[in-house]
Amino acid sequence: MDRPSWAPDDIDLDKPTAARAYDYLLGGAHNFAADREMIRAAMSFMPDLALQAQANRAFLRRAVQYLVDVGVRQFLDIGSGIPTRGNVHEIAQRAAPDARVVYVDIDPVAVSHGRHFLAGNPHTYVLQEDVRNPTDIVKHPDVTDLLDFERPIGLLMVALLHVVPDADDPYGIVAHLRDELSPGSHIVIGHGTHDSRPEEVAKLTAISRQTPTAMSTRTREDVVRFFDGFELVDPGVVWAPLWRPDSPEDVPEDPGRSGNYVGVGRLG
Ligand code: SAM
């Protein structure tokens, strides 16, 4: 297969990754046959997987709009994924053209395409880094050039922490990042769970082991713990479609099928 320009030389096109599989689910074009095959296998027992991804993405959009509305003008989006429609900088810079956004992802395609996509946007930066190295993110000179940690920052970790297993101390990572933030900052979390569909999610988790970032879903109680030290913004930790929907008509009959708990916390 010809290697497209956005696929760095050192990546294995035959091994799926979460970023490219998610891109496929959202209708993007930055994925390979291996990613699509993995998603098709998952859809054989979870046919509404694309709806789950869309519900997660719609939450991200509403949460960023909320942060813009309360005056946040700087964003650190970790596990940002391959740029698609409704990216954080598009939402934030529509309201405030000088809003600053740093995108961080471990996936080389997400970073390579992100840099290409954002060329010419001086208020954005794309960093290739692992969330498990939080100091390398917050102390990176290009990050501190763009973001002022003495002022409020919107820290986004949407559909990210469920690929960080307990052995890698996800709670310690979030606490570390929280301690770098100043009052008025917010954290936005979306997190996959097995609470509503345990059998299907067990199969999905098994399939995710084909990627370098296998899933470790958690319960609602576990997800609430990530907000330690933050005040939860109303309505708290809820199923993705239930977090401040644009219209009651957007809420499906069974919001638990979205498979993701979400929430926004404010640092007092
Ligand atoms: N946040 C976006 C959203 O919700 O639409 C994208 C979510 S996508 C499902 C998860 C992203 O997290 C992928 O792009 C993946 O490469 C990235 N990721 C996985 N493990 C990571 C890690 N240890 N550090 C940074 N990014 C990671």
mmCIF file of all heavy atoms in Angstrom, residues 19 22 56-57 79-81 105-107 129-132 158-160 163 213, ligand 1:
data_model
loop_
_atom_site.group_PDB
_atom_site.id
_atom_site.type_symbol
_atom_site.label_atom_id
_atom_site.label_comp_id
_atom_site.label_asym_id
_atom_site.label_seq_id
_atom_site.Cartn_x
_atom_site.Cartn_y
_atom_site.Cartn_z
ATOM 1 N N ALA A 19 -6.405 6.113 17.834
ATOM 2 C CA ALA A 19 -6.656 7.401 17.179
ATOM 3 C C ALA A 19 -7.239 7.183 15.781
ATOM 4 O O ALA A 19 -8.213 7.832 15.388
ATOM 5 C CB ALA A 19 -5.354 8.205 17.095
ATOM 6 N N TYR A 22 -10.788 5.585 15.874
ATOM 7 C CA TYR A 22 -11.779 6.599 16.270
ATOM 8 C C TYR A 22 -12.051 7.551 15.094
ATOM 9 O O TYR A 22 -13.195 7.942 14.841
ATOM 10 C CB TYR A 22 -11.217 7.345 17.478
ATOM 11 C CG TYR A 22 -12.120 8.353 18.122
ATOM 12 C CD1 TYR A 22 -13.275 7.981 18.811
ATOM 13 C CD2 TYR A 22 -11.799 9.715 18.097
ATOM 14 C CE1 TYR A 22 -14.076 8.928 19.429
ATOM 15 C CE2 TYR A 22 -12.592 10.660 18.724
ATOM 16 C CZ TYR A 22 -13.729 10.258 19.379
ATOM 17 O OH TYR A 22 -14.522 11.193 19.996
ATOM 18 N N ASN A 56 -19.822 11.220 22.404
ATOM 19 C CA ASN A 56 -18.629 11.682 23.118
ATOM 20 C C ASN A 56 -18.137 12.997 22.524
ATOM 21 O O ASN A 56 -17.826 13.959 23.224
ATOM 22 C CB ASN A 56 -17.552 10.598 23.005
ATOM 23 C CG ASN A 56 -16.238 11.045 23.577
ATOM 24 O OD1 ASN A 56 -16.121 11.230 24.777
ATOM 25 N ND2 ASN A 56 -15.250 11.257 22.718
ATOM 26 N N ARG A 57 -18.103 13.037 21.204
ATOM 27 C CA ARG A 57 -17.616 14.223 20.495
ATOM 28 C C ARG A 57 -18.555 15.419 20.729
ATOM 29 O O ARG A 57 -18.120 16.552 20.863
ATOM 30 C CB ARG A 57 -17.554 13.866 19.012
ATOM 31 C CG ARG A 57 -16.739 14.732 18.178
ATOM 32 C CD ARG A 57 -15.256 14.536 18.373
ATOM 33 N NE ARG A 57 -14.566 15.700 17.885
ATOM 34 C CZ ARG A 57 -13.328 16.046 18.157
ATOM 35 N NH1 ARG A 57 -12.578 15.309 18.944
ATOM 36 N NH2 ARG A 57 -12.801 17.134 17.672
ATOM 37 N N GLY A 79 -4.692 13.688 24.578
ATOM 38 C CA GLY A 79 -5.414 12.594 23.926
ATOM 39 C C GLY A 79 -6.395 13.205 22.942
ATOM 40 O O GLY A 79 -7.563 12.823 22.852
ATOM 41 N N SER A 80 -5.885 14.203 22.195
ATOM 42 C CA SER A 80 -6.766 15.049 21.373
ATOM 43 C C SER A 80 -7.260 14.342 20.122
ATOM 44 O O SER A 80 -8.275 14.716 19.563
ATOM 45 C CB SER A 80 -6.030 16.332 20.991
ATOM 46 O OG SER A 80 -4.733 16.026 20.513
ATOM 47 N N GLY A 81 -6.525 13.307 19.661
ATOM 48 C CA GLY A 81 -6.975 12.561 18.490
ATOM 49 C C GLY A 81 -6.601 13.237 17.183
ATOM 50 O O GLY A 81 -5.924 14.271 17.143
ATOM 51 N N ASP A 105 -0.949 14.335 21.836
ATOM 52 C CA ASP A 105 -1.371 12.964 21.561
ATOM 53 C C ASP A 105 -0.127 12.093 21.412
ATOM 54 O O ASP A 105 0.943 12.569 21.039
ATOM 55 C CB ASP A 105 -2.226 12.880 20.284
ATOM 56 C CG ASP A 105 -3.164 11.669 20.302
ATOM 57 O OD1 ASP A 105 -2.673 10.539 20.109
ATOM 58 O OD2 ASP A 105 -4.372 11.843 20.542
ATOM 59 N N ILE A 106 -0.310 10.818 21.718
ATOM 60 C CA ILE A 106 0.795 9.860 21.612
ATOM 61 C C ILE A 106 0.908 9.320 20.190
ATOM 62 O O ILE A 106 1.936 8.777 19.806
ATOM 63 C CB ILE A 106 0.524 8.707 22.621
ATOM 64 C CG1 ILE A 106 1.786 7.911 22.926
ATOM 65 C CG2 ILE A 106 -0.580 7.795 22.141
ATOM 66 C CD1 ILE A 106 1.572 6.880 24.042
ATOM 67 N N ASP A 107 -0.143 9.474 19.393
ATOM 68 C CA ASP A 107 -0.219 8.823 18.091
ATOM 69 C C ASP A 107 0.463 9.669 17.001
ATOM 70 O O ASP A 107 0.109 10.833 16.798
ATOM 71 C CB ASP A 107 -1.696 8.608 17.725
ATOM 72 C CG ASP A 107 -1.848 7.749 16.487
ATOM 73 O OD1 ASP A 107 -1.526 8.230 15.380
ATOM 74 O OD2 ASP A 107 -2.278 6.598 16.626
ATOM 75 N N GLU A 129 3.317 13.483 22.852
ATOM 76 C CA GLU A 129 3.757 13.106 24.203
ATOM 77 C C GLU A 129 2.757 12.129 24.789
ATOM 78 O O GLU A 129 1.611 12.031 24.340
ATOM 79 C CB GLU A 129 3.894 14.377 25.074
ATOM 80 C CG GLU A 129 4.580 14.210 26.400
ATOM 81 C CD GLU A 129 5.911 13.438 26.332
ATOM 82 O OE1 GLU A 129 6.958 14.044 26.055
ATOM 83 O OE2 GLU A 129 5.868 12.205 26.557
ATOM 84 N N ASP A 130 3.217 11.432 25.804
ATOM 85 C CA ASP A 130 2.417 10.431 26.507
ATOM 86 C C ASP A 130 1.884 11.075 27.790
ATOM 87 O O ASP A 130 2.671 11.665 28.547
ATOM 88 C CB ASP A 130 3.357 9.247 26.819
ATOM 89 C CG ASP A 130 2.645 8.060 27.413
ATOM 90 O OD1 ASP A 130 1.648 8.241 28.124
ATOM 91 O OD2 ASP A 130 3.128 6.930 27.171
ATOM 92 N N VAL A 131 0.583 10.956 28.028
ATOM 93 C CA VAL A 131 0.006 11.566 29.240
ATOM 94 C C VAL A 131 0.671 11.024 30.506
ATOM 95 O O VAL A 131 0.645 11.672 31.558
ATOM 96 C CB VAL A 131 -1.528 11.356 29.281
ATOM 97 C CG1 VAL A 131 -1.890 9.886 29.526
ATOM 98 C CG2 VAL A 131 -2.179 12.240 30.326
ATOM 99 N N ARG A 132 1.307 9.850 30.377
ATOM 100 C CA ARG A 132 1.960 9.273 31.560
ATOM 101 C C ARG A 132 3.239 10.028 31.928
ATOM 102 O O ARG A 132 3.868 9.712 32.928
ATOM 103 C CB ARG A 132 2.225 7.785 31.323
ATOM 104 C CG ARG A 132 0.917 6.993 31.351
ATOM 105 C CD ARG A 132 1.083 5.591 30.838
ATOM 106 N NE ARG A 132 1.384 5.585 29.420
ATOM 107 C CZ ARG A 132 1.411 4.494 28.659
ATOM 108 N NH1 ARG A 132 1.145 3.324 29.191
ATOM 109 N NH2 ARG A 132 1.683 4.570 27.375
ATOM 110 N N VAL A 158 -10.571 13.718 27.256
ATOM 111 C CA VAL A 158 -11.839 13.128 26.822
ATOM 112 C C VAL A 158 -11.556 11.837 26.047
ATOM 113 O O VAL A 158 -10.796 11.855 25.077
ATOM 114 C CB VAL A 158 -12.633 14.133 25.958
ATOM 115 C CG1 VAL A 158 -13.974 13.525 25.542
ATOM 116 C CG2 VAL A 158 -12.854 15.435 26.720
ATOM 117 N N ALA A 159 -12.154 10.763 26.525
ATOM 118 C CA ALA A 159 -11.910 9.422 25.951
ATOM 119 C C ALA A 159 -10.425 9.074 25.997
ATOM 120 O O ALA A 159 -9.881 8.492 25.061
ATOM 121 C CB ALA A 159 -12.469 9.313 24.530
ATOM 122 N N LEU A 160 -9.762 9.483 27.060
ATOM 123 C CA LEU A 160 -8.324 9.217 27.214
ATOM 124 C C LEU A 160 -8.034 8.315 28.416
ATOM 125 O O LEU A 160 -7.305 7.327 28.296
ATOM 126 C CB LEU A 160 -7.564 10.543 27.373
ATOM 127 C CG LEU A 160 -6.099 10.372 27.797
ATOM 128 C CD1 LEU A 160 -5.283 9.776 26.649
ATOM 129 C CD2 LEU A 160 -5.487 11.693 28.247
ATOM 130 N N VAL A 163 -7.791 4.514 28.631
ATOM 131 C CA VAL A 163 -6.684 3.719 28.066
ATOM 132 C C VAL A 163 -5.442 3.825 28.954
ATOM 133 O O VAL A 163 -4.349 3.439 28.537
ATOM 134 C CB VAL A 163 -6.359 4.092 26.596
ATOM 135 C CG1 VAL A 163 -7.502 3.685 25.684
ATOM 136 C CG2 VAL A 163 -6.028 5.553 26.437
ATOM 137 N N THR A 213 -2.778 0.822 22.925
ATOM 138 C CA THR A 213 -3.408 1.473 24.086
ATOM 139 C C THR A 213 -4.719 0.751 24.420
ATOM 140 O O THR A 213 -5.802 1.246 24.126
ATOM 141 C CB THR A 213 -3.676 2.970 23.801
ATOM 142 O OG1 THR A 213 -4.443 3.074 22.596
ATOM 143 C CG2 THR A 213 -2.396 3.763 23.631
HETATM 144 N N1 SAM B 1 -10.191 13.440 22.843
HETATM 145 C C1 SAM B 1 -10.678 13.150 21.509
HETATM 146 C C2 SAM B 1 -12.184 12.996 21.569
HETATM 147 O O1 SAM B 1 -12.708 12.684 22.631
HETATM 148 O O2 SAM B 1 -12.841 13.185 20.538
HETATM 149 C C3 SAM B 1 -10.020 11.909 20.917
HETATM 150 C C4 SAM B 1 -10.247 10.647 21.715
HETATM 151 S S1 SAM B 1 -9.516 9.186 21.004
HETATM 152 C C5 SAM B 1 -10.721 7.992 21.401
HETATM 153 C C6 SAM B 1 -8.244 8.829 22.246
HETATM 154 C C7 SAM B 1 -6.913 9.472 21.910
HETATM 155 O O3 SAM B 1 -6.020 9.304 23.026
HETATM 156 C C8 SAM B 1 -6.226 8.828 20.709
HETATM 157 O O4 SAM B 1 -5.923 9.824 19.767
HETATM 158 C C9 SAM B 1 -4.973 8.192 21.283
HETATM 159 O O5 SAM B 1 -3.880 8.219 20.392
HETATM 160 C C10 SAM B 1 -4.719 9.064 22.499
HETATM 161 N N2 SAM B 1 -3.913 8.402 23.536
HETATM 162 C C11 SAM B 1 -3.996 7.112 23.946
HETATM 163 N N3 SAM B 1 -3.098 6.878 24.917
HETATM 164 C C12 SAM B 1 -2.436 8.037 25.120
HETATM 165 C C13 SAM B 1 -1.389 8.431 26.002
HETATM 166 N N4 SAM B 1 -0.844 7.560 26.851
HETATM 167 N N5 SAM B 1 -0.971 9.707 25.966
HETATM 168 C C14 SAM B 1 -1.513 10.600 25.081
HETATM 169 N N6 SAM B 1 -2.498 10.271 24.216
HETATM 170 C C15 SAM B 1 -2.957 9.021 24.239
#
